[in-house]
Amino acid sequence: MEPQPSLKKKTIGGLVWSFGDLIGNQGIQFVIQIVLARMLLPEHFGLIGMILVFIALSNSIVDSGFTQALIREKNASQTDYSTVFYFNFFISVLIYISLFFAAPAISRFFDEPQLVSIVRVLTIGIIINSFAIIPKAMFAKEVNFKAQAKINLSSSLLSGGFAIGLALTGFGVWSLVFRQLSMNAIQSLLFTLSKKWMPSLEFSFSSFGRLFGFGWKLLVSGLIDTFYTNVYFLIIGKQYSTKQLGFYTNASRFSEIVSQNLAATILRVTYPVLSSIQDEHERLAQSYKSITKLAAFLIFPVMVGMAAVGEPLVLLVFGDKWANMILYFQLLSIAGMMYPILALDLSIFQVKGRSDLYLKLEIINKVSLTILLVLAIVFDLGVIGLIGAAILNTYIEFFVNSHFSKQVIPYPAREKLNDLLPVYVLSFLMGGVVWTFGSLLDTNLLIQLLLQVTVGSVFYVVTCRLANIKELKTVYGLIKPLLKKIN
């Protein structure tokens, strides 16, 4: 059994490098996205948005829950890894062939002739991605995010530079296509070279059955979640214009830079760490509570703050031609603030091996979202109504997840609500102050944004200190050594 200090050191080290990966990789991708948005048209991003659901679903099928199964497996063997690799590759080829021949039907569905060639080229990335699944799982199992951070940073820089070069020479939407393909290729190559792992010439039906026995429920859950995460692109692309979808696509990606990527950062570190203490009930419960409260402390104010400064932020970053995405971005930021908490809730079922409950929850939560989406469409509430349905459903999911999670860990909804409510209230109070302060300013966008961020940060820290929010001390304890080094 690993002693607690070692576990804590591993977790903090993983979080530091994982967060560094987030800041570096996503920061670079964010800058590249801005440059491309200023060079290209909203319609170009809309075309890519139309097929995101197909690519996301395909990647989920290729993985088939095996990554989580391998990470959770305490003594995964070379046979296990090789078996999963061959399955991943075979399924990726099968899916690509299916999408290649389905491309004309997808094009007719959206009434966009260009989609035939875009689908056939962009989905090659599904096969390329399959080569990186095992090395990624190995690094995650070791809580080694330093190597992953370097690889992601390199691939973002190289693929981004390539895409900008293509955009400058008039490639239009193909700049976005080849940006994604080149990133897939560079990542897969670097992950393979860094891990120095090669599959053996063996396929074990015993390994496959054992791992798939855990992973298939995660596969179904992942497919459901992936479909509903991307269903907005499908609905907006079909019901509204390509231009509106372009606004939504960039607003969604802009807001997700923080919510989903911070959630991914926390989950990819905490899942292998929590899995290593899955049999220590009390220790696991306490660690889970601490992580949940810390995640809320960091993410709630950031997402609310992004919504509060949405107007100057979008106009400054993307320019006036993207002004129609401001409200989308603000609402999506509010919708995304609960995402990391919901993701943590679901991860605890994986840690405890309860993929059956994980699947059950996905079905319940998505049934409620379906009802809300249908109501938004029937009453013709537009894109704003669709986003409103997502916001409402996050709170429904919170209570549903909390109700079922008490079956595997003693953290009921009432206790969790009491833990999160102070930070939740302070975050919205801060957001109100920031928005009001910004509306009173009469200055250029950059100065307005800087002043709003400064006021919001100071207000949140001071109010958390006055309210005696313990996570403030935790965060300070983590950054104190860095501050000493700087001084």
Side-chain angles (χ1 to χ4, degrees), residues 82-276:
S82 299
T83 298
V84 172
F85 172 81
Y86 289 122
F87 174 81
N88 292 155
F89 178 72
F90 173 76
I91 294 298
S92 69
V93 173
L94 198 63
I95 289 174
Y96 175 73
I97 293 172
S98 301
L99 288 173
F100 183 92
F101 289 107
I106 295 172
S107 176
R108 286 193 299 271
F109 177 81
F110 290 109
D111 193 25
E112 283 289 350
Q114 295 181 73
L115 286 181
V116 176
S117 53
I118 292 174
V119 168
R120 288 175 171 174
V121 174
L122 188 56
T123 51
I124 294 173
I126 296 167
I127 299 176
I128 298 172
N129 279 340
S130 69
F131 288 93
I133 291 176
I134 298 301
K136 283 183 180 179
M138 289 178 166
F139 280 127
K141 194 174 180 69
E142 298 164 0
V143 198
N144 180 3
F145 296 100
K146 180 177 181 180
Q148 293 190 60
K150 292 179 178 179
I151 290 171
N152 291 331
L153 189 65
S154 300
S155 60
S156 293
L157 279 170
L158 293 173
S159 62
F162 181 50
I164 291 171
L166 290 176
L168 284 171
T169 51
F171 275 76
V173 67
W174 289 100
S175 308
L176 303 176
V177 172
F178 287 112
R179 175 194 177 190
Q180 189 60 51
L181 271 182
S182 60
M183 182 180 292
N184 295 150
I186 295 167
Q187 280 185 334
S188 292
L189 177 62
L190 293 179
F191 270 114
T192 301
L193 293 175
S194 296
K195 197 60 196 172
K196 296 181 175 63
W197 178 85
M198 294 294 290
S200 306
L201 295 176
E202 55 182 336
F203 185 94
S204 169
F205 287 98
S206 174
S207 291
F208 179 85
R210 187 181 75 259
L211 295 170
F212 193 68
F214 173 79
W216 79 266
K217 300 183 189 73
L218 298 183
L219 166 61
V220 177
S221 302
L223 287 175
I224 294 171
D225 183 61
T226 300
F227 174 77
Y228 277 93
T229 299
N230 293 277
V231 73
Y232 292 88
F233 299 102
L234 198 65
I235 296 172
I236 297 169
K238 180 63 177 175
Q239 295 287 112
Y240 306 101
S241 68
T242 306
K243 191 172 186 177
Q244 276 183 286
L245 179 56
F247 290 133
Y248 177 84
T249 299
N250 256 3
S252 176
R253 289 188 171 182
F254 196 16
S255 65
E256 287 173 2
I257 284 175
V258 177
S259 64
Q260 293 199 15
N261 285 297
L262 269 178
T265 297
I266 294 169
L267 286 175
R268 67 180 182 174
V269 174
T270 58
Y271 179 70
V273 171
L274 292 178
S275 293
S276 70

Side-chain angles (χ1 to χ4, degrees), residues 63 91 145 148 160 198 201 262 281 362 367-368 424 429 469 473:
D63 180 82
I91 294 298
F145 296 100
Q148 293 190 60
M198 294 294 290
L201 295 176
L262 269 178
H281 197 60
E362 281 291 355
V367 166
S368 68
Y424 183 89
L429 185 60
I469 303 296
K473 294 181 180 178

